[in-house]
Every structure is written in C-alpha cells, then in structure tokens.
Amino acid sequence: MSKPPRKLRLSVYLDPAVMDRLADHAARRDHSRSLVAEAAIESFLSPDAAERQEAAITKRLDQLDRRMARLERDLGIAVEMLAVFVRFWLSTTPALPEPAAQAARAKAGERYDAFVTALGRRLAKGPKLRQEIAEDVDT
C-alpha cells in the first residue's frame, strides 16, 4: 500500500484576536488548530460555499415569511374579534338618561384605569390568551 501524500507546511500571520478565537474553537472541539484552520480554508475556497450560504439564507427567509404570515393571520383575527364585540356591545347596550350618564362616565374612568392596570400586569407576567386557548382546545 502506498502512503497518502504528506501535507505541506504553511506559515501565516494572524491577528492576535483571530488566533485567540482559533485556539478557543479548536480547544472546544478537541481538535488541533491546524485541523480547524485547514477546514476553514477548505470551506472558504470551496466553490459551493456561496451556494450553501444562499441556501441557509433562503431557508431562514422562508421561516421568517411563515412567521409573518401567522402574525398577519393572528392580527386579522384579533381585529375582527374586536369589531364583532364592539358592534354587539353597541347594539345591545341602551343609552342612559343624563343624570345616570354622568355617574356612569365617572365610574367608567375608574373601570378603565383598573382595566389598563390589569392588562399591564397580564402582559408583564400572565399567561397569554393564545396559550389559554390552546389549553382549552387540547382538553
């Protein structure tokens, strides 16, 4: 059997920061710095490196596109839900006589402040509606 050809020696000068990153990477992978540098150079010189990078970018863009489509769908559902609720509320809530309307406006301010406080608390740490819906549907 013939021996594989001996590897050729190459001396390069690296910026100290690059050398530190090379050494750290090699140590984490339990490989020699030479092996890591050879693999990096091979990857850089490979004709399909640009194609691999383009494929990775395309895959990521596809993921982002799907997420955006879900967000648009969810936002559309939320807007429609709010519109239906407001229409229903307006059609079923009778107008109040003037003395009662003034008291109701004062009470509405208090209730609105309590609503905003509760909403802030829920957004900060509470479960999201979509989590509760998923839990309701699964059971």
Side-chain angles (χ1 to χ4, degrees), residues 93-107:
T93 304
L96 297 172
E98 190 51 41
Q102 290 175 352
R105 278 193 286 276
K107 189 66 173 173

Side-chain angles (χ1 to χ4, degrees), residues 10-134:
L10 171 68
S11 295
V12 296
Y13 295 97
L14 298 176
D15 187 77
V18 174
M19 183 59 121
D20 290 342
R21 289 175 47 208
L22 173 64
D24 289 344
H25 184 81
R28 278 194 314 271
R29 300 285 195 270
D30 197 28
H31 294 303
S32 69
R33 289 181 297 181
S34 179
L35 181 66
V36 172
E38 181 181 2
I41 292 169
E42 180 62 37
S43 176
F44 182 79
L45 296 175
S46 173
D48 65 336
E51 294 167 5
R52 283 189 313 223
Q53 186 176 20
E54 182 180 347
I57 290 171
T58 301
K59 180 180 176 184
R60 183 72 175 139
L61 286 173
D62 288 344
Q63 291 171 346
L64 290 171
D65 186 50
R66 285 191 300 276
R67 286 181 185 169
M68 286 295 293
R70 280 194 306 268
L71 284 171
E72 288 174 356
R73 183 204 67 199
D74 293 349
L75 182 60
I77 291 170
V79 167
E80 287 299 317
M81 178 189 66
L82 181 61
V84 168
F85 172 77
V86 169
R87 178 175 283 161
F88 174 78
W89 184 80
L90 290 173
S91 66
T92 59
T93 304
L96 297 172
E98 190 51 41
Q102 290 175 352
R105 278 193 286 276
K107 189 66 173 173
E110 294 173 20
R111 292 175 70 189
Y112 180 76
D113 290 341
F115 167 76
V116 170
T117 301
L119 179 61
R121 202 172 36 248
R122 183 169 175 117
L123 288 175
K125 59 184 172 186
K128 304 295 186 255
L129 178 63
R130 64 188 147 111
Q131 293 168 328
E132 290 179 356
I133 290 173

